[in-house]
Amino acid sequence: MNTLDDLAGRVVLVTGASSGIGEHLARQLAVRGARVAAAARRTELLDKMAAEFALPGGTVTPVGLDLCSTASIQRAIAEVERHLGPIEILVNNAGIVHQAPATRVTEEEFDRQFDTNVKGTFFVTQACARRMIDLGIPGRIVTVASVAGIVTMPQLSVYGMTKAALVQMTRSLAAEWARHDLAVNAICPGYVATDLNAEFMASEAGRKVVARLPKRRLATPEGLVEPLMLLLSGSRSRFINGAILTVDDGYSVS
């Protein structure tokens, strides 16, 4: 029987896995032998990743998932169980961001961010936790929140509100589900370089953002891998539950 220190064969659901941080984490989990259900709306990108992943041991299985639909969440979890077995680890990575002054945020954009980042993340977490509890699985749930949920960031008022909600969600669920042997933690990255923000970061405005960072550099998705692995470890994280781990290169204390 595998231990929580051994990812080989363990079933992991990663949301928002079609690009950026989610894609990188999904690949790294599979490299370590996990059976990864890579979930997102853009299934064509997931299919490409699965086809390219040819390392022995771990696998990547594409799963269509729209977090704005609870029916889609239920279908996705059923599909994962049908193809891979019960989910033992959930990595909540899916999220959207819209940068704008608070005076210009529209109702549509406000709802879009909250529906995906908060409502969708809560209900996929709820659905996975129900199965873990019903089956007696000592599950691990890690949410990729953001340092924007802890400190203010320029023109990210609504996004920061959604990430602050995830921070509180993590603490609340950790306390509620601890008796079921579920560990619920969060990682809060700072500015991370991805394909999605490459154009902005290369612009004059982006360069000004980098110039204000404590070490004048962007983080990379690779920098989130070991913090994630720490929170998934049975022995190293035995007493870590409800933790909000900042991985922001000192941004939140500068």
Side-chain angles (χ1 to χ4, degrees):
M1 181 176 178
N2 292 330
T3 68
L4 284 170
D5 291 317
D6 182 9
L7 286 172
R10 298 185 68 80
V11 179
V12 184
L13 173 61
V14 181
T15 68
S18 59
S19 63
I21 293 172
E23 178 186 1
H24 188 78
L25 296 180
R27 288 178 181 272
Q28 290 301 311
L29 287 162
V31 165
R32 287 161 172 77
R35 293 185 291 162
V36 178
R41 289 178 296 179
R42 297 181 293 175
T43 54
E44 69 281 0
L45 296 178
L46 300 176
D47 291 338
K48 181 180 179 183
M49 176 170 59
E52 292 173 348
F53 197 89
L55 292 173
T59 61
V60 174
T61 300
V63 178
L65 172 62
D66 180 0
L67 280 184
C68 293
S69 165
T70 53
S72 176
I73 290 172
Q74 295 298 332
R75 286 194 299 269
I77 291 175
E79 182 178 349
V80 174
E81 290 199 3
R82 186 165 58 251
H83 292 290
L84 300 177
I87 296 166
E88 301 167 89
I89 295 169
L90 169 64
V91 179
N92 283 316
N93 171 77
I96 58 175
V97 58
H98 178 71
Q99 188 168 4
T103 53
R104 297 183 183 176
V105 175
T106 65
E107 182 179 4
E108 179 184 12
E109 188 52 54
F110 184 98
D111 288 344
R112 196 168 76 93
Q113 291 186 77
F114 265 86
D115 284 348
T116 300
N117 298 2
V118 182
K119 181 180 177 181
T121 299
F122 173 81
F123 281 107
V124 75
T125 302
Q126 179 197 68
C128 288
R130 279 175 174 169
R131 294 295 292 154
M132 292 173 180
I133 292 169
D134 288 346
L135 298 172
I137 293 171
R140 292 292 185 269
I141 298 170
V142 178
T143 296
V144 180
S146 170
V147 71
I150 300 173
V151 298
T152 59
M153 298 179 80
Q155 299 189 25
L156 292 175
S157 58
V158 176
Y159 177 75
M161 290 159 63
T162 67
K163 294 301 183 175
L166 294 183
V167 167
Q168 184 62 17
M169 181 193 82
T170 296
R171 291 171 172 151
S172 297
L173 300 184
E176 185 171 335
W177 295 339
R179 71 192 65 181
H180 300 292
D181 204 11
L182 302 188
V184 186
N185 295 294
I187 294 172
C188 289
Y191 284 100
V192 180
T194 67
D195 292 341
L196 297 178
N197 63 22
E199 183 176 351
F200 170 76
M201 288 304 175
S203 70
E204 182 179 355
R207 290 194 295 272
K208 288 181 179 179
V209 168
V210 175
R212 292 194 296 268
L213 299 179
K215 294 186 179 179
R216 312 296 191 267
R217 68 184 183 185
L218 295 174
T220 65
E222 180 61 34
L224 302 179
V225 174
E226 289 308 318
L228 174 64
M229 297 308 160
L230 167 65
L231 296 177
L232 299 184
S233 163
S235 59
R236 289 179 294 164
S237 65
R238 182 180 177 189
F239 295 105
I240 302 178
N241 189 30
I244 311 301
L245 180 59
T246 55
V247 188
D248 65 354
D249 214 16
Y251 179 87
S252 59
V253 295
S254 63

